[in-house]
Amino acid sequence: KQVMSGSALTEVVRRMHVYRADTRAEAAALIALLAEDVDNRRWVSTVTGRLGDRTSTLVEALSIALCTLDTPTDARSRAGAADARAAAAAALCFLSRYGGMTELVRCIADGEQDIKTEAASALAKIAAEEGERDTIVATGVVPLLVEMVVLSSSSQARLNAGLVIAKVSEPGLSELAAHAIARIERVCAVVPKFGFGCVEPIVDILLRSVEEAQRAIAAQCLACYCVDERRAADIWARASELLVDLLLVDARVSPDGLWFGVQVVVSMCNHKRLVERIARFRFQWEAQERSMMVALRQVLRSADRDTTSEVAAVLYLMWPYGGLEELTDVLVKADGDMATLKAVAQYLQPLNSKMPTRRRIAEQAGQDIERVGVWLSTFITAHV
């Protein structure tokens, strides 16, 4: 309160304009600490300072601090520049409703690569709030983010840009489906500069990346886009082999990537015309055959409880095309922990109510056809 009641913030504005990078970092950090309190933000955003014959707002000064560049001959200044960018981006994130978002978008449009990276990181934090996603899309920043993914030489820049795209594509918990789909359509719109939208670089660059964090972000985006059947079919045609590899590889190295990869398959399998194509998919890789069924079985063996439940649901949707046999085989071989076996048995239970499928389960499990329900109940009632 003492800082805010005096003229110190006016001096802070001036210092962010004319002082060296380490001083800008300290000034921006002070503003970030003040703006962290929601009650202070409106007042902080109104602070101004005199620069000769003109007046500068605090948000403009933070934008100057965010655009601080390294001085190659000054080690202290180089460290200060990175700190200034980080502190200014955090402060603009807190002041997003008072001009901070506009400055972040401007920095993404006009700044150097390091500046774009910090600005995108701050924008991703803003996009985590459901109410801000439409506003972010309306600023026209998505084409700039696509450009970052396509042209940036920094993996962190691509990751931050992809994270913003993923966040604005996510439907809110209380959001109407039609509203979320309309926003996704705007996000996926063709970028005139490239002649394609965000789906192509997400698949061809992020999903192909050797970094598991980028693959996870790509899968998070694709899981949102597969709500539309036409787009889901296009994504499957472009990314089928990559998705199988994601399930096979990230089961051991990236729980987030694995979860979102499974969500992509779940979203696709909600479209009946794609289920058979996905279930029967196979391809050759280094003289080895890989398939979606093999990938899903591996996930069942190694993933956490929530993920294995989702995989069991996918195999249930695939039951006419081999999913029934895979579910039964899991129980026969006890291929998983008891939580996995319980989830599998729960999805097999409704199929047991039909005589043709009950007969197939009985033959594969070596059970009497009249006792298949009893056999399944031993897994369903098991204590986990």
Side-chain angles (χ1 to χ4, degrees):
K1 289 182 180 179
Q2 291 178 345
V3 172
M4 293 171 62
S5 62
S7 59
L9 293 186
T10 301
E11 177 65 15
V12 166
V13 172
R14 189 179 72 85
R15 290 188 175 216
M16 281 193 285
H17 275 278
V18 300
Y19 276 61
R20 54 186 287 155
D22 49 329
T23 304
R24 290 181 180 181
E26 293 169 354
L30 173 61
I31 299 303
L33 289 172
L34 292 174
E36 190 173 5
D37 188 335
V38 176
D39 296 333
N40 295 339
R41 292 176 186 175
R42 182 180 292 276
W43 188 90
V44 168
S45 67
T46 63
V47 173
T48 59
R50 294 290 298 176
L51 292 172
D53 58 350
R54 74 182 187 88
T55 301
S56 171
T57 65
L58 181 64
V59 173
E60 290 174 350
L62 288 170
S63 179
I64 294 295
L66 177 57
C67 293
T68 302
L69 296 176
D70 300 340
T71 303
T73 58
D74 189 340
R76 185 180 176 187
S77 180
R78 286 200 302 272
D83 292 340
R85 290 194 294 269
L92 289 171
C93 177
F94 291 134
L95 298 174
S96 62
R97 297 186 178 182
Y98 306 100
M101 184 188 299
T102 302
E103 292 300 326
L104 289 172
V105 173
R106 188 186 64 77
C107 290
I108 291 175
D110 302 329
E112 301 290 335
Q113 181 169 274
D114 290 341
I115 298 169
K116 291 175 183 285
T117 302
E118 286 292 349
S121 177
L123 202 60
K125 295 174 184 176
I126 299 173
E129 300 181 21
E130 294 181 12
E132 300 293 341
R133 293 170 188 172
D134 285 319
T135 306
I136 292 173
V137 174
T139 63
V141 74
V142 173
L144 301 175
L145 297 170
V146 173
E147 182 177 346
M148 284 180 66
V149 173
V150 174
L151 301 180
S152 178
S153 60
S154 165
S155 62
Q156 189 62 47
R158 291 194 299 272
L159 180 64
N160 289 352
L163 183 58
V164 179
I165 296 173
K167 291 295 184 183
V168 298
S169 301
E170 281 186 347
L173 295 177
S174 58
E175 188 175 22
L176 294 175
H179 191 178
I181 291 172
R183 185 173 65 252
I184 290 173
E185 290 294 333
R186 297 198 298 273
V187 171
C188 295
V190 173
V191 179
K193 181 176 181 178
F194 299 114
F196 51 76
C198 66
V199 174
E200 287 80 358
I202 285 172
V203 173
D204 296 336
I205 298 175
L206 297 183
L207 195 59
R208 291 181 184 273
S209 173
V210 296
E211 298 182 14
E212 55 267 19
Q214 291 191 33
R215 295 197 300 272
I217 291 299
Q220 185 177 355
C221 292
L222 297 180
C224 300
Y225 304 153
C226 287
V227 173
D228 177 70
E229 183 174 355
R230 177 187 55 80
R231 189 174 290 115
D234 292 340
I235 291 172
W236 175 251
R238 178 181 290 270
S240 51
E241 295 184 8
L242 298 173
L243 288 173
V244 172
D245 287 340
L246 179 71
L247 298 180
L248 289 171
V249 174
D250 286 20
R252 295 183 292 270
V253 298
S254 175
D256 289 341
L258 179 62
W259 167 258
F260 288 119
V262 170
Q263 293 305 307
V264 176
V265 180
V266 170
S267 296
M268 288 180 173
C269 287
N270 286 328
H271 307 297
K272 294 182 179 180
R273 287 186 287 185
L274 294 178
V275 175
E276 183 176 2
R277 194 187 316 175
I278 296 170
R280 300 189 187 282
F281 178 71
R282 299 174 182 275
F283 68 99
Q284 292 292 127
W285 184 81
E286 293 186 355
Q288 294 180 348
E289 185 178 79
R290 292 187 171 184
S291 69
M292 178 59 73
M293 287 298 185
V294 171
L296 293 175
R297 283 294 295 272
Q298 179 167 307
V299 175
L300 278 176
R301 296 187 194 102
S302 57
D304 57 59
R305 186 176 300 183
D306 292 337
T307 306
T308 54
S309 180
E310 292 290 320
V311 172
V314 171
L315 290 173
Y316 172 76
L317 294 173
M318 295 177 175
W319 76 264
Y321 314 109
L324 175 64
E325 287 72 21
E326 294 293 337
L327 289 171
T328 306
D329 190 57
V330 170
L331 296 183
V332 171
K333 296 180 178 178
D335 193 11
D337 58 22
M338 186 51 67
T340 299
L341 300 180
K342 183 172 184 175
V344 168
Q346 287 171 336
Y347 280 102
L348 269 178
Q349 186 66 31
L351 298 174
N352 183 53
S353 63
K354 303 174 182 179
M355 185 55 69
T357 51
R358 183 190 300 180
R359 184 176 294 109
R360 289 164 60 182
I361 295 171
E363 291 174 357
Q364 185 175 353
Q367 299 286 331
D368 185 271
I369 194 169
E370 299 298 332
R371 294 190 57 80
V372 172
V374 176
W375 177 64
L376 293 175
S377 67
T378 60
F379 298 101
I380 295 174
T381 60
H383 179 70
V384 178

